[in-house]
Amino acid sequence: MTIISTWEISFQGVKIARDILKEGKSVEDAICGLINDIELNPDFHNVGYSGWPNEEGDVELDAAIMDGDTLSFGAVASMRNIKTPVSVARLLVGRPYDNFIVGDGALQFALENGFKSEELLTEPAKARWLQKIHDMTDLDKGHDTVGSVIASGGRVVAATSTSGLFMKRKGRVGDSPLVGPGLYADSEIGGATATGVGEDIMKGTLSFQIVNLMKSGMSPSEAAGKAVKDLHENLIRKNQKPRDFSVVCVNKEGEWGAASNRDEFPFVVCTGDEVEYYVSKDFGKVYEKRKNQYDI
Ligand code: ASP
């Protein structure tokens, strides 16, 4: 069993996923358990309930899940008022159509399936929004999508959940719910997921690219490093200024990798009992083990 997930906010969620798998439940139960833990935490402002709002002060959420056995996926985008969007996305997997629904349609689908409509904007998020509307300079700040991949029992599943970029334009959707850039899983190869500025991640179809590199024989760490570096350098060649992007991935054997074009990118891994917190440096060439503040 290997579970890998972005950012230090995943620490408790990875423990939850590990325990769900140990109880013999499905990989989908485990990955949604991991992500629901973050979605429902009012202190984590980039995902689910208490997410950062868009420029109009509304929280619009994106999420997706992909089943590597069938390549089926479910995705929602710009969905309001539902605390756990990844669980809504899960219900869309395997349907012949309607795998990706957005906005009011996504909310309607969630309500029809027993989810409760709730206010997502909390006081701290609202206070930051009110302050920010006077100073609209750094749209990129406050983005930390949870993206997770699990390889267990011959299956690979990937999933994401995010409130997207803080102060994004109403209706803006990033990479996170998109199969290809934001996540990809194929149980014959492995899975990958990305976090960072979605507009750049989409330019490189980053998660699919990593799975393809693993298919060609690269280890997950080589594939993650190469995909991130290639996109970063390609953007520079094209006179673009690359923004932050980071990835985690696992192959079907359970070997894992991570890479980023940031100085440091934190992520969480579990390959058995212990849940470990690492920081990736130098385009995934160095993984430094650290102590995690959420290890309680
Ligand atoms: N990728 C997300 C987006 O562009 C944000 C993030 O990962 O932090 O919406």
Side-chain angles (χ1 to χ4, degrees):
M1 162 224 295
T2 298
I3 307 163
I4 191 162
S5 196
T6 56
W7 308 110
E8 57 185 322
I9 55 172
S10 290
F11 200 82
Q12 289 302 325
V14 169
K15 280 189 180 172
I16 290 169
R18 173 200 64 191
D19 294 345
I20 291 173
L21 288 176
K22 284 193 170 169
E23 284 166 27
K25 294 197 180 134
S26 72
V27 182
E28 284 83 354
D29 285 343
I31 210 161
C32 288
L34 189 175
I35 292 179
N36 288 163
D37 176 68
I38 300 167
E39 289 174 328
L40 292 170
N41 190 323
D43 296 329
F44 296 156
H45 293 296
N46 303 290
V47 179
Y49 173 62
S50 193
W52 296 127
N54 64 15
E55 62 184 10
E56 298 190 2
D58 292 317
V59 181
E60 292 187 328
L61 302 177
D62 307 331
I65 179 166
M66 183 169 188
D67 165 18
D69 281 7
T70 59
L71 306 184
S72 297
F73 66 93
V76 292
S78 292
M79 185 173 69
R80 296 187 190 188
N81 298 109
I82 302 292
K83 286 182 171 177
T84 53
V86 79
S87 299
V88 181
R90 182 180 176 180
L91 292 181
L92 296 165
V93 177
R95 292 163 68 97
Y97 303 101
D98 313 327
N99 294 131
F100 190 173
I101 51 178
V102 306
D104 289 345
L107 176 60
Q108 189 183 325
F109 174 81
L111 297 177
E112 282 168 14
N113 283 280
F115 288 81
K116 259 198 352 221
S117 175
E118 292 172 278
E119 177 57 59
L120 302 181
L121 188 67
T122 56
E123 282 309 319
K126 187 175 174 185
R128 187 168 178 223
W129 171 69
L130 284 171
Q131 192 188 2
K132 200 71 200 164
I133 47 183
H134 297 295
D135 166 27
M136 284 280 289
T137 51
D138 58 349
L139 181 72
D140 291 5
K141 288 234 171 77
H143 60 84
D144 275 356
T145 296
V146 58
S148 317
V149 189
I150 299 182
S152 176
R155 302 197 58 212
V156 179
V157 175
T160 57
S161 184
T162 189
S163 55
L165 300 184
F166 177 42
M167 299 302 277
K168 64 189 178 184
R169 172 174 278 274
K170 175 181 179 174
R172 178 264 182 195
V173 177
D175 62 299
S176 305
L178 301 181
V179 162
L183 74 165
Y184 202 82
D186 183 334
S187 298
E188 290 179 55
I189 307 163
T193 184
T195 175
V197 176
E199 285 71 5
D200 280 1
I201 293 167
M202 288 186 243
K203 290 168 190 160
T205 327
L206 207 47
S207 298
F208 181 66
Q209 180 67 7
I210 292 166
V211 174
N212 248 344
L213 290 170
M214 292 195 289
K215 186 179 180 181
S216 76
M218 280 191 191
S219 70
S221 59
E222 286 168 344
K226 179 168 170 50
V228 168
K229 201 156 195 242
D230 282 358
L231 176 59
H232 185 84
E233 289 174 352
N234 198 4
L235 289 171
I236 292 172
R237 265 199 311 279
K238 292 178 168 53
N239 296 319
Q240 306 294 303
K241 189 174 177 299
R243 275 92 45 102
D244 289 358
F245 42 86
S246 310
V247 298
V248 294
C249 60
V250 187
N251 66 13
K252 67 176 192 318
E253 284 79 28
E255 297 164 327
W256 55 266
S260 178
N261 65 349
R262 299 160 48 103
D263 292 343
E264 296 198 339
F265 164 58
F267 61 97
V268 180
V269 184
C270 175
T271 54
D273 284 327
E274 218 191 316
V275 175
E276 294 169 315
Y277 172 56
Y278 288 93
V279 167
S280 159
K281 294 177 164 180
D282 197 11
F283 288 91
K285 284 209 188 77
V286 178
Y287 300 136
E288 239 175 58
K289 207 164 165 179
R290 296 258 176 98
K291 180 120 193 67
N292 185 292
Q293 60 164 312
Y294 299 114
D295 188 4
I296 37 169

